[in-house]
Amino acid sequence: MEVRVRYAPSPTGMQHIGGVRTALFNYLFARANGGKFILRLEDTDRTRYGEEYVQNLFDTLAWLGIEWDEGPDKGGPYGPYVQSERFALYKKHADELVEKGQAYYCFCDAERLERIRTIQTMNKMPPGYDRSCRHLTAEEIKANIDAGKPYVIRLKVPLEGVTRFHDALLGDIEWKNEDINPDPVLLKSDGFPTYHLANIVDDHFMKITHVMRAQEWIPSTPLHVLMYRAFGWEPPQFCHLPMVMGQDGQKLSKRHGATSVNEFRARGYIPEALINYVSMLGCSYEDGRDLYSLADFEKLFKIEHLNKAPAVFDYKKLEWFNGQYMRLMSDEALYRATLPFLTGTGDAAIPVNATEQFPAPKVGPDVSGVSLDENGAPIAEGLTSAQTKEKLLQLMPLIKERLHFLCDAAEMVRFLFTEPAVPPIDQIVPKKLDAAKTKEVLEASIDFIQAIPSLDHEAAEELARKTAENLGIKLGDFMMPIRMAVTGSRVSPPLMGSIAILGADRAVERTRKTLELFK
Ligand code: GLU
């Protein structure tokens, strides 16, 4: 039997880590088993529906490189794959359950349901429908319908007994039927299906073999099993995925940091890092490697690799992956990936929910000094776009080691394309030196800077060490004032390389300007 799995999001919000993990695991399971991965839009909740969320779903999966075999845009043998285009099917099947005596019409209006709720709350009883319409006679039903009374269709949940199902990860799970939602609505009075009805009708007709979804859906599963039975259908295999928690053991949420994939994109995470990290959230692989590509996971994924325990989302670990993947990029690829962050375009233009804990990344031409010309090529003041690109390419190997996120590049390239303001004197003087000594350092650095372009890296380091020694100071205290003078910042790419790319003349000029402060 061919494996068929689906990712079935409701377009009521931006794609977040949890959803993407569900999508990924389904996708990987399909690929690992030569099966099909189906994308289905569960858009029955029209009040929370947003067109932008549908777009975001497509964008996010495309960005991650997760491809589906059947889906809204692609079609397939069991389409349409959008629930709002399948309403007639759900109604037909709700009616079928009524005919079979497995579901019933309920004419209770909102007012009555509200009254039941109030009484239940007052008596500290569990909430739920009191099943009064379950016992209407055929005549009463006919009279209500003839009178044009609106109705919903409810499932007849067995009053006693238990419902069991097997979860591929968690094993056998059983629920007392008395603990299942008393007679949930399948079809609403406006003819819209509820999630439960549409979800299982679709899983059945789309021939889904395995339902892999978050553990928060477990309480719905006994109900779904009852519905499959009521229809006389074979339920799929269920596999409920471990939860994703923050470091504090609470369900991962905005409080912990970025959760929507958009935010990760806008902060300069790269898809390979996210794929690698998220595929290991609650899933471990035999060979204990750290770095896996999507193609690796497509071969290796197994349900047996899933953990039962919740996964803890570790932002630092994801950051580590991000760094690793950026270091693996060629200079040209890194240049292309960072350019949007230098110019504030593309991914870098996606709005982020900045908080104090997670401030908005600093990106854009006012940070980097690089903008795009009318042909989409990088351009900086006083340079042609070819020169700008050349300088950026030269700089890539230097900044590669220091990037945590693509957005970090904006500040790191700035010194090349803008004249930094001369920093205040107290920022230039190292803690261990005084102003007089710092002045000496800067004076001595002029010769040093001028020598750099003709020296290789080792010789330049040796010269720096010697000069520091002659001044009787540590190497760090020698470099720091020069770094401040040349780049205007304490954090810059490696100094010697930076000077070589900037040009000794400009570096000396900046140093002289800074020296004026000490006169
Ligand atoms: N539409 C549901 C969601 O938004 C799907 C749950 C399921 O996979 O059954 O997560």
Side-chain angles (χ1 to χ4, degrees):
M1 189 175 56
E2 182 185 53
V3 163
R4 292 177 57 82
V5 288
R6 54 28 172 215
Y7 177 48
S10 306
T12 55
M14 295 294 180
Q15 289 297 303
H16 52 81
I17 288 295
V20 160
R21 204 228 359 200
T22 302
L24 249 179
F25 283 8
N26 277 286
Y27 167 83
L28 295 176
F29 185 63
R31 290 292 167 267
N33 291 286
K36 292 280 187 313
F37 174 60
I38 290 124
L39 184 65
R40 181 171 80 220
L41 273 187
E42 300 210 327
D43 61 342
T44 54
D45 181 350
R46 301 312 286 186
T47 51
R48 290 167 60 215
Y49 173 88
E51 189 64 45
E52 68 277 24
Y53 303 134
V54 177
Q55 197 48 53
N56 175 253
L57 167 70
F58 292 142
D59 281 354
T60 302
L61 295 183
W63 183 71
L64 291 167
I66 300 176
E67 283 181 33
W68 50 98
D69 304 302
E70 298 165 28
D73 53 335
K74 279 210 170 129
Y78 308 109
Y81 294 85
V82 180
Q83 289 190 329
S84 57
E85 294 169 23
R86 298 167 67 84
F87 280 4
L89 184 73
Y90 309 131
K91 170 146 180 29
K92 176 169 167 264
H93 283 85
D95 289 341
E96 187 190 312
L97 283 190
V98 175
E99 274 158 41
K100 285 181 155 179
Q102 301 282 1
Y104 61 92
Y105 293 131
C106 167
F107 300 93
C108 295
D109 56 16
E111 216 175 287
R112 173 155 199 281
L113 296 176
E114 188 52 48
R115 261 203 321 275
I116 301 175
R117 208 168 303 137
T118 313
I119 293 168
Q120 284 166 337
T121 322
M122 272 166 33
N123 294 304
K124 298 204 164 54
M125 288 156 66
Y129 180 54
D130 67 356
R131 296 176 153 135
S132 76
C133 287
R134 185 158 167 159
H135 313 292
L136 294 179
T137 62
E139 291 74 45
E140 286 169 321
I141 294 169
K142 185 170 184 306
N144 278 333
I145 290 179
D146 289 348
K149 267 199 177 182
Y151 61 85
V152 301
I153 294 180
R154 290 183 183 271
L155 181 74
K156 271 191 196 167
V157 172
L159 302 177
E160 356 182 275
V162 292
T163 297
R164 296 190 178 84
F165 64 93
H166 181 79
D167 185 281
L169 175 64
L170 304 170
D172 292 329
I173 295 182
E174 66 173 47
W175 283 65
K176 287 194 193 129
N177 289 337
E178 65 194 60
D179 291 339
I180 294 177
N181 176 359
D183 299 359
V185 174
L186 302 180
L187 199 73
K188 298 185 224 173
S189 55
D190 56 8
F192 276 50
T194 57
Y195 153 72
H196 303 295
L197 177 67
N199 187 267
I200 83 135
V201 166
D202 285 351
D203 281 348
H204 175 72
F205 286 104
M206 294 179 183
K207 300 202 180 332
I208 300 302
T209 56
H210 297 73
V211 166
M212 295 173 83
R213 61 185 170 198
Q215 274 182 19
E216 65 203 21
W217 293 100
I218 289 181
S220 296
T221 307
L223 182 66
H224 294 182
V225 171
L226 287 174
M227 290 168 70
Y228 281 104
R229 256 189 236 151
F231 278 117
W233 297 337
E234 188 62 34
Q237 295 239 20
F238 292 100
C239 177
H240 290 91
L241 304 170
M243 302 280 285
V244 183
M245 310 289 205
Q247 300 274 9
D248 58 359
Q250 303 291 312
K251 191 178 161 193
L252 189 70
S253 74
K254 283 201 180 24
R255 272 184 311 117
H256 298 106
T259 54
S260 83
V261 175
N262 263 356
E263 289 180 89
F264 287 101
R265 286 178 72 171
R267 288 175 201 269
Y269 287 79
I270 56 174
E272 289 82 355
L274 223 61
I275 291 274
N276 199 146
Y277 184 60
V278 173
S279 299
M280 294 171 95
L281 271 179
C283 193
S284 11
Y285 293 83
E286 271 126 13
D287 61 3
R289 261 192 293 157
D290 275 319
L291 299 189
Y292 295 90
S293 66
L294 189 61
D296 293 333
F297 286 126
E298 286 175 20
K299 291 191 207 91
L300 295 172
F301 184 87
K302 282 198 186 103
I303 287 184
E304 295 78 65
H305 289 154
L306 294 174
N307 311 326
K308 290 186 192 175
V312 176
F313 194 89
D314 181 348
Y315 286 88
K316 279 281 163 217
K317 183 82 199 205
L318 175 58
E319 188 179 318
W320 180 84
F321 277 111
N322 212 50
Q324 294 295 311
Y325 279 103
M326 286 189 292
R327 305 213 213 310
L328 288 173
M329 284 173 145
S330 69
D331 295 340
E332 176 75 32
L334 188 64
Y335 157 75
R336 270 186 275 115
T338 50
L339 194 57
F341 292 85
L342 306 184
T343 55
T345 56
D347 284 359
I350 299 173
V352 292
N353 298 321
T355 61
E356 209 180 310
Q357 205 182 354
F358 297 92
K362 287 190 193 155
V363 297
D366 46 344
V367 181
S368 66
V370 181
S371 41
L372 290 182
D373 68 12
E374 62 276 11
N375 302 315
I379 184 117
E381 212 187 309
L383 301 178
T384 65
S385 64
Q387 287 166 331
T388 311
K389 177 172 178 183
E390 193 194 320
K391 286 216 178 285
L392 283 171
L393 277 173
Q394 286 173 335
L395 202 58
M396 288 301 141
L398 296 186
I399 67 171
K400 207 179 260 183
E401 290 294 326
R402 307 200 165 197
L403 293 177
H404 298 273
F405 310 107
L406 295 171
C407 65
D408 298 338
E411 279 183 287
M412 289 185 188
V413 307
R414 180 189 177 86
F415 77 95
L416 262 187
F417 303 108
T418 61
E419 279 313 307
V422 178
I425 213 163
D426 59 316
Q427 282 186 29
I428 305 171
V429 177
K431 273 203 192 80
K432 299 247 175 69
L433 309 187
D434 58 14
K437 193 75 193 172
T438 307
K439 182 167 174 253
E440 253 183 75
V441 169
L442 288 172
E443 280 162 354
S445 73
I446 307 259
D447 282 348
F448 166 68
I449 291 171
Q450 275 162 342
I452 285 181
S454 58
L455 300 177
D456 65 14
H457 185 72
E458 250 122 73
E461 288 221 323
E462 179 58 24
L463 180 62
R465 230 175 30 75
K466 276 251 171 67
T467 320
E469 213 175 275
N470 290 341
L471 289 163
I473 59 173
K474 290 215 166 112
L475 181 63
D477 290 334
F478 173 64
M479 300 292 260
M480 209 276 267
I482 310 176
R483 182 188 302 281
M484 286 301 290
V486 173
T487 71
S489 159
R490 260 166 217 264
V491 280
S492 77
L495 186 58
M496 260 93 78
S498 300
I499 291 173
I501 300 171
L502 181 70
D505 291 351
R506 284 178 76 195
V508 165
E509 200 183 301
R510 290 179 188 183
T511 309
R512 291 224 157 95
K513 230 169 117 208
T514 306
L515 259 171
E516 312 238 306
L517 283 183
F518 292 82
K519 294 260 154 76

